[in-house]
Amino acid sequence: MKKLILFSFFIFLSSIAYSQSKDFILLKRGANQNSQIRYYPGEEITYKSKKIGYFITDIIEKVDQDYIYMSENIISPLDIEEIDIRQKDKRNSTLRAFNSLILGAGVILVSVDMINSVYHSGEVSIDKGVGITSGILMATGLAMLPLRYKTFKHKGRNHIQIILMRMD
């Protein structure tokens, strides 16, 4: 019984050690943790290289010291010009939620005022102040739609790094 417990303990420790040896690609702008994006092997990445002038979507197979091995390509991080981060960047989901909140508040405000006017006077009318306020909310929400992080350009302070977390 002791041998079985000891064997299962070693299996557990080796699985923990293996799970922490995960390599990844780090998109980094400065030292701020919130602006760092990680791509792990098995994830899909959309990038534009210096040799090809358009975006390519590929799946990361593995990463090495100098190269990124994908399902259809092998590329160096130095050859990457831009990476499409619309789906990956968590700041975009925050902006999307804030945008939905502002648009929804404008629509709900005008809807509640219309329902209230039908209930009290029997006809549909919108108060001038409520109309201006809901119009400002909806216009702000529509103006914020294009304010999302679209691409990560590999220049200036932006760096693409390969992080190897192997225990050799």
Side-chain angles (χ1 to χ4, degrees):
M1 183 68 176
K2 289 182 181 180
K3 289 181 181 180
L4 180 64
I5 293 173
L6 190 62
F7 179 72
S8 61
F9 180 70
F10 283 124
I11 294 292
F12 177 71
L13 284 180
S14 65
S15 67
I16 289 174
Y18 179 73
S19 66
Q20 291 185 6
S21 64
K22 193 99 174 181
D23 304 335
F24 58 90
I25 301 166
L26 181 68
L27 308 181
K28 184 176 180 181
R29 169 183 271 158
N32 190 0
Q33 288 279 16
N34 292 334
S35 63
Q36 294 179 356
I37 301 171
R38 296 179 183 192
Y39 283 95
Y40 293 97
E43 286 186 328
E44 193 173 77
I45 185 170
T46 303
Y47 65 95
K48 181 166 65 169
S49 71
K50 292 178 181 176
K51 298 173 185 170
I52 303 171
Y54 53 89
F55 283 94
I56 300 169
T57 301
D58 211 345
I59 297 174
I60 302 169
E61 296 291 327
K62 68 176 186 170
V63 292
D64 197 355
Q65 186 100 16
D66 300 321
Y67 295 103
I68 303 168
Y69 296 94
M70 300 191 201
S71 60
E72 296 184 17
N73 200 2
I74 299 173
I75 192 165
S76 171
L78 300 174
D79 291 337
I80 296 176
E81 270 187 12
E82 292 181 64
I83 296 179
D84 186 3
I85 58 170
R86 290 178 203 172
Q87 301 298 323
K88 188 72 175 170
D89 197 354
K90 60 185 171 190
R91 296 175 295 176
N92 280 343
S93 62
T94 305
L95 284 171
R96 190 177 306 119
F98 187 62
N99 191 15
S100 300
L101 181 69
I102 290 175
L103 279 171
V107 169
I108 288 173
L109 182 63
V110 83
S111 300
V112 166
D113 189 49
M114 287 172 59
I115 292 169
N116 195 21
S117 70
V118 167
Y119 181 73
H120 285 295
S121 64
E123 62 183 43
V124 176
S125 65
I126 299 173
D127 187 43
K128 183 179 178 183
V130 171
I132 291 172
T133 305
S134 66
I136 289 171
L137 284 170
M138 287 190 264
T140 304
L142 290 174
M144 285 179 51
L145 279 175
L147 295 179
R148 296 210 177 115
Y149 299 96
K150 295 174 183 71
T151 60
F152 180 87
K153 295 183 180 175
H154 189 197
K155 65 179 181 180
R157 293 182 359 173
N158 297 345
H159 300 287
I160 300 174
Q161 296 177 343
I162 296 176
I163 308 294
L164 300 174
M165 301 290 286
R166 296 188 186 135
M167 302 174 93
D168 293 332

Short mmCIF file of all heavy atoms in Angstrom, two decimals, residues 108-134:
data_model
loop_
_atom_site.label_atom_id
_atom_site.label_comp_id
_atom_site.label_asym_id
_atom_site.label_seq_id
_atom_site.Cartn_x
_atom_site.Cartn_y
_atom_site.Cartn_z
N ILE A 108 -32.65 52.14 -23.07
CA ILE A 108 -33.57 51.91 -21.95
C ILE A 108 -34.18 53.23 -21.46
O ILE A 108 -35.37 53.30 -21.16
CB ILE A 108 -32.85 51.17 -20.81
CG1 ILE A 108 -32.60 49.73 -21.22
CG2 ILE A 108 -33.64 51.23 -19.52
CD1 ILE A 108 -31.75 48.94 -20.27
N LEU A 109 -33.37 54.28 -21.41
CA LEU A 109 -33.86 55.58 -20.95
C LEU A 109 -35.00 56.10 -21.83
O LEU A 109 -36.04 56.51 -21.35
CB LEU A 109 -32.72 56.59 -20.89
CG LEU A 109 -33.07 57.99 -20.37
CD1 LEU A 109 -33.54 57.91 -18.93
CD2 LEU A 109 -31.88 58.91 -20.50
N VAL A 110 -34.81 56.05 -23.14
CA VAL A 110 -35.85 56.54 -24.05
C VAL A 110 -37.06 55.60 -24.04
O VAL A 110 -38.21 56.05 -24.13
CB VAL A 110 -35.28 56.78 -25.46
CG1 VAL A 110 -35.22 55.51 -26.29
CG2 VAL A 110 -36.07 57.83 -26.20
N SER A 111 -36.83 54.30 -23.89
CA SER A 111 -37.95 53.35 -23.85
C SER A 111 -38.80 53.54 -22.61
O SER A 111 -40.04 53.51 -22.67
CB SER A 111 -37.43 51.91 -23.89
OG SER A 111 -36.69 51.67 -25.06
N VAL A 112 -38.15 53.72 -21.47
CA VAL A 112 -38.90 53.92 -20.22
C VAL A 112 -39.70 55.22 -20.27
O VAL A 112 -40.85 55.26 -19.82
CB VAL A 112 -37.92 53.90 -19.01
CG1 VAL A 112 -38.57 54.42 -17.76
CG2 VAL A 112 -37.41 52.49 -18.79
N ASP A 113 -39.11 56.26 -20.85
CA ASP A 113 -39.84 57.52 -20.97
C ASP A 113 -41.05 57.37 -21.90
O ASP A 113 -42.12 57.93 -21.63
CB ASP A 113 -38.91 58.63 -21.46
CG ASP A 113 -39.58 59.99 -21.38
OD1 ASP A 113 -40.15 60.31 -20.31
OD2 ASP A 113 -39.57 60.72 -22.39
N MET A 114 -40.89 56.62 -22.99
CA MET A 114 -42.03 56.40 -23.90
C MET A 114 -43.13 55.59 -23.21
O MET A 114 -44.32 55.94 -23.33
CB MET A 114 -41.55 55.69 -25.17
CG MET A 114 -40.74 56.58 -26.09
SD MET A 114 -39.97 55.71 -27.47
CE MET A 114 -41.36 55.01 -28.29
N ILE A 115 -42.77 54.55 -22.51
CA ILE A 115 -43.77 53.74 -21.81
C ILE A 115 -44.46 54.56 -20.72
O ILE A 115 -45.68 54.47 -20.53
CB ILE A 115 -43.12 52.46 -21.23
CG1 ILE A 115 -42.69 51.54 -22.36
CG2 ILE A 115 -44.05 51.74 -20.26
CD1 ILE A 115 -41.83 50.38 -21.93
N ASN A 116 -43.70 55.36 -20.02
CA ASN A 116 -44.27 56.22 -18.97
C ASN A 116 -45.23 57.24 -19.56
O ASN A 116 -46.30 57.50 -18.98
CB ASN A 116 -43.12 56.92 -18.23
CG ASN A 116 -43.57 57.52 -16.93
OD1 ASN A 116 -44.59 57.12 -16.37
ND2 ASN A 116 -42.80 58.49 -16.44
N SER A 117 -44.91 57.82 -20.72
CA SER A 117 -45.82 58.80 -21.33
C SER A 117 -47.09 58.14 -21.84
O SER A 117 -48.17 58.73 -21.75
CB SER A 117 -45.11 59.54 -22.47
OG SER A 117 -44.89 58.67 -23.56
N VAL A 118 -47.01 56.91 -22.34
CA VAL A 118 -48.21 56.19 -22.78
C VAL A 118 -49.09 55.87 -21.58
O VAL A 118 -50.32 55.98 -21.64
CB VAL A 118 -47.82 54.89 -23.55
CG1 VAL A 118 -49.01 53.98 -23.74
CG2 VAL A 118 -47.20 55.23 -24.88
N TYR A 119 -48.49 55.51 -20.49
CA TYR A 119 -49.25 55.15 -19.28
C TYR A 119 -49.97 56.37 -18.70
O TYR A 119 -51.12 56.28 -18.28
CB TYR A 119 -48.30 54.55 -18.24
CG TYR A 119 -48.98 54.14 -16.97
CD1 TYR A 119 -49.79 53.01 -16.92
CD2 TYR A 119 -48.81 54.88 -15.80
CE1 TYR A 119 -50.41 52.63 -15.75
CE2 TYR A 119 -49.43 54.52 -14.62
CZ TYR A 119 -50.23 53.39 -14.60
OH TYR A 119 -50.85 53.01 -13.45
N HIS A 120 -49.29 57.53 -18.67
CA HIS A 120 -49.88 58.71 -18.03
C HIS A 120 -50.81 59.50 -18.95
O HIS A 120 -51.87 59.94 -18.52
CB HIS A 120 -48.78 59.65 -17.50
CG HIS A 120 -48.14 59.14 -16.25
ND1 HIS A 120 -48.81 59.01 -15.06
CD2 HIS A 120 -46.89 58.71 -16.00
CE1 HIS A 120 -47.99 58.53 -14.14
NE2 HIS A 120 -46.81 58.33 -14.69
N SER A 121 -50.43 59.69 -20.20
CA SER A 121 -51.24 60.56 -21.06
C SER A 121 -51.95 59.81 -22.19
O SER A 121 -52.77 60.39 -22.88
CB SER A 121 -50.37 61.68 -21.65
OG SER A 121 -49.38 61.14 -22.50
N GLY A 122 -51.61 58.57 -22.41
CA GLY A 122 -52.28 57.79 -23.46
C GLY A 122 -51.67 58.00 -24.84
O GLY A 122 -52.16 57.44 -25.81
N GLU A 123 -50.65 58.79 -24.99
CA GLU A 123 -49.99 58.98 -26.28
C GLU A 123 -48.47 58.90 -26.10
O GLU A 123 -47.94 59.13 -25.02
CB GLU A 123 -50.37 60.34 -26.90
CG GLU A 123 -49.95 61.53 -26.06
CD GLU A 123 -50.41 62.84 -26.65
OE1 GLU A 123 -51.56 62.93 -27.11
OE2 GLU A 123 -49.59 63.77 -26.65
N VAL A 124 -47.78 58.57 -27.20
CA VAL A 124 -46.33 58.42 -27.15
C VAL A 124 -45.68 59.79 -27.28
O VAL A 124 -45.91 60.51 -28.26
CB VAL A 124 -45.83 57.49 -28.29
CG1 VAL A 124 -44.31 57.41 -28.29
CG2 VAL A 124 -46.43 56.12 -28.17
N SER A 125 -44.89 60.15 -26.28
CA SER A 125 -44.13 61.39 -26.34
C SER A 125 -42.83 61.20 -25.56
O SER A 125 -42.74 60.35 -24.67
CB SER A 125 -44.92 62.56 -25.75
OG SER A 125 -45.13 62.35 -24.37
N ILE A 126 -41.85 61.97 -25.93
CA ILE A 126 -40.55 61.90 -25.28
C ILE A 126 -40.22 63.28 -24.72
O ILE A 126 -40.31 64.28 -25.42
CB ILE A 126 -39.45 61.45 -26.27
CG1 ILE A 126 -39.77 60.06 -26.82
CG2 ILE A 126 -38.09 61.43 -25.59
CD1 ILE A 126 -38.84 59.61 -27.92
N ASP A 127 -39.84 63.33 -23.45
CA ASP A 127 -39.45 64.56 -22.80
C ASP A 127 -38.16 65.08 -23.45
O ASP A 127 -37.30 64.30 -23.87
CB ASP A 127 -39.23 64.30 -21.31
CG ASP A 127 -38.97 65.57 -20.54
OD1 ASP A 127 -39.68 66.57 -20.79
OD2 ASP A 127 -38.04 65.57 -19.70
N LYS A 128 -38.04 66.40 -23.54
CA LYS A 128 -36.89 67.00 -24.22
C LYS A 128 -35.57 66.64 -23.52
O LYS A 128 -34.60 66.26 -24.17
CB LYS A 128 -37.06 68.52 -24.26
CG LYS A 128 -35.96 69.21 -25.02
CD LYS A 128 -36.19 70.71 -25.06
CE LYS A 128 -35.03 71.39 -25.78
NZ LYS A 128 -35.17 72.83 -25.79
N GLY A 129 -35.51 66.72 -22.20
CA GLY A 129 -34.29 66.40 -21.46
C GLY A 129 -33.91 64.94 -21.58
O GLY A 129 -32.73 64.60 -21.72
N VAL A 130 -34.91 64.06 -21.53
CA VAL A 130 -34.66 62.63 -21.67
C VAL A 130 -34.18 62.32 -23.08
O VAL A 130 -33.26 61.52 -23.28
CB VAL A 130 -35.92 61.81 -21.33
CG1 VAL A 130 -35.76 60.35 -21.68
CG2 VAL A 130 -36.26 61.97 -19.86
N GLY A 131 -34.76 62.97 -24.08
CA GLY A 131 -34.34 62.77 -25.47
C GLY A 131 -32.90 63.21 -25.70
O GLY A 131 -32.12 62.51 -26.37
N ILE A 132 -32.53 64.35 -25.13
CA ILE A 132 -31.15 64.83 -25.27
C ILE A 132 -30.18 63.90 -24.56
O ILE A 132 -29.14 63.52 -25.11
CB ILE A 132 -31.03 66.28 -24.74
CG1 ILE A 132 -31.78 67.23 -25.67
CG2 ILE A 132 -29.57 66.69 -24.60
CD1 ILE A 132 -31.88 68.64 -25.14
N THR A 133 -30.53 63.48 -23.35
CA THR A 133 -29.65 62.60 -22.58
C THR A 133 -29.47 61.25 -23.26
O THR A 133 -28.36 60.74 -23.39
CB THR A 133 -30.19 62.41 -21.16
OG1 THR A 133 -30.38 63.69 -20.55
CG2 THR A 133 -29.26 61.57 -20.32
N SER A 134 -30.57 60.65 -23.70
CA SER A 134 -30.46 59.35 -24.37
C SER A 134 -29.75 59.48 -25.72
O SER A 134 -29.01 58.58 -26.12
CB SER A 134 -31.84 58.71 -24.54
OG SER A 134 -32.63 59.46 -25.43
#
